[in-house]
Amino acid sequence: MFPLFHFSLWLKGFPLKKAQYAFEKIQAISEDDYQNYIETKRKEIVAFHFQHNASYKALVGNKNPNNWEELPIMTKKDFQKPLAERLSEGYAPKNVYVNKTSGSSGDPFIFAKDKFSHALTWVNIFDRFGWYGINFNTSLQARFYGIPLDFIGNTKERIKDLLSHRYRFPIFDLSDKVLESVLVKFQQKQFDYINGYTSSIVLFAKFLEQKKIVLKTVCPTLKCCVVTSEMLFEDDKKLLEKQFGVPVVNEYGASELDLIAFQNPQGQWQVNSETLFVEILDDKNKVLPNGKEGRVVITSLYNKAHPFIRYDIGDVGILDEKSTFKKPILKKLIGRTNDIALLPSGKKSPGLTFYYITKSIIEDDGNVKEFVIKQTKIDTFDIEYVSQYELTSDQIKNMEKAITTYLETGLTFTFTRKEKLERSKSGKLKQFVSLVK
């Protein structure tokens, strides 16, 4: 088959062959030499932007510090100015890859990557998916993603889907009637893998569970399922593996950076050390030892068009104690730093704590399909859920008891049953939202 996907990237000016050669050279570096590789690339990218990027030099100051930990932490707010003011010398919107973040963190911005850096991103993606026998030129993807509804935006995405060898299932309506039509497509088409938003794919798995169908039996070509953009809980992963009959792979990425971590066939969440440097920092910007929970801060080692140096992505996570420079392992991704609930006692709790507690209780009988939690006041939380029937008083009492046990007393919860939950324009489902400033 003609390598249409690679050809489409080449047409856009992305030097894939050069990037592939560079990527293979990086992967050939030994474990013993890898720390030196990382430290050298860090120095090079800082020196480049200090010399050629006025915006970054203004942030750092007149002197480029020799000590890595003296460099400032970049945040999304540093990018809330026109792109032209943030690009390095020699780069302009017409000769770089330009895109926009999803804004799931509340601070969307336009960013740029030089074409070699973006080509490296794609080579890295090809490599990781290749672990599971997926080839972007030949493997048919079942894509569970949002899509623009306006004519021009919709047409662009459909053309991309054609070039990328993927069939898209729009996820704004996932009623049983729609999911029935999705199942029919799996019976008709030889899909190699599923890729898309976690919550949408989990809904499809629950639909299959109700019908007592294992997807691999109706679509024997299926090799794996890759979930992205939303948290994957352990019990959801078990459900997906049971109902799909294939490995479920957890992906963690950011459009402005690269693929950050990808679950390897050994079940480890392997961090991308080829093109990124990932640190875990405390509230005082001090580097934490592996095994400790903190803010995820990432440096893009190759993007010369736009600096992402010690960039606080807005997530909280833990690197495994077994991590090395060559093979860092993400032990846990806890959530976003802005998904924190401030409680009446002054205690701060990650929003996902509520999700973990309530999830195990209200999904015990399979009635509840999905839910979100909104903090409307410092002591008040609204749980919106989609289900076949209303929650029972016993379920509500058990949930309130669990919340009191794990958090604190005096919290008020309301339960609102919905026909469907509100998603972002991209189709993502934000599982915890705090409306308290």
Side-chain angles (χ1 to χ4, degrees), residues 41-87:
K41 294 310 294 184
R42 286 189 330 198
K43 286 179 184 175
E44 286 177 2
I45 200 68
V46 170
F48 179 88
H49 286 299
F50 187 78
Q51 183 177 352
H52 299 287
N53 191 290
S55 178
Y56 186 67
K57 186 171 183 179
L59 182 67
V60 173
N62 290 326
K63 185 182 178 184
N64 180 3
N66 289 322
N67 185 354
W68 173 259
E69 292 187 34
E70 290 179 18
L71 288 168
I73 304 300
M74 304 186 81
T75 69
K76 291 175 170 64
K77 296 204 182 315
D78 291 316
F79 310 134
Q80 305 295 320
K81 54 185 175 182
L83 179 62
E85 295 177 21
R86 292 182 272 124
L87 289 175

Side-chain angles (χ1 to χ4, degrees), residues 133-275:
I134 301 302
N135 182 318
F136 276 55
N137 289 307
T138 58
S139 301
L140 182 59
Q141 177 191 137
R143 190 172 182 81
F144 286 76
Y145 269 78
I147 190 168
L149 299 178
D150 64 284
F151 178 76
I152 294 176
N154 191 280
T155 303
K156 281 183 179 178
E157 287 302 313
R158 292 296 183 190
I159 292 171
K160 281 187 196 175
D161 288 343
L162 181 66
L163 294 173
S164 305
H165 207 50
R166 61 200 188 199
Y167 183 92
R168 187 184 301 248
F169 297 106
I171 57 177
F172 299 109
D173 179 4
L174 291 171
S175 61
D176 283 358
K177 183 180 178 182
V178 171
L179 290 174
E180 190 69 57
S181 67
V182 171
L183 177 58
V184 169
K185 284 295 177 188
F186 273 91
Q187 292 167 333
Q188 294 172 342
K189 290 183 173 288
Q190 294 183 325
F191 288 114
D192 290 273
Y193 66 115
I194 297 169
N195 189 207
Y197 297 155
T198 310
S199 61
S200 304
I201 294 172
V202 167
L203 267 183
F204 182 45
K206 288 179 179 178
F207 168 79
L208 293 173
E209 184 180 41
Q210 286 176 348
K211 295 182 75 71
K212 295 182 171 54
I213 292 173
V214 174
L215 195 59
K216 177 83 170 171
T217 62
V218 299
C219 184
T221 52
L222 200 62
K223 294 175 181 172
C224 67
C225 168
V226 181
V227 295
T228 189
S229 297
E230 298 167 344
M231 294 292 287
L232 174 64
F233 297 94
E234 189 57 35
D235 55 346
D236 283 339
K237 184 180 180 184
K238 289 176 182 174
L239 172 71
L240 293 176
E241 288 176 338
K242 176 187 165 195
Q243 295 307 137
F244 293 164
V246 295
V248 173
V249 182
N250 204 355
E251 178 189 81
Y252 171 39
S255 56
E256 66 268 36
L257 291 169
D258 208 321
L259 193 61
I260 300 170
F262 199 80
Q263 187 178 315
N264 65 27
Q266 291 74 47
Q268 300 166 313
W269 217 356
Q270 188 169 325
V271 174
N272 165 18
S273 66
E274 288 93 342
T275 68

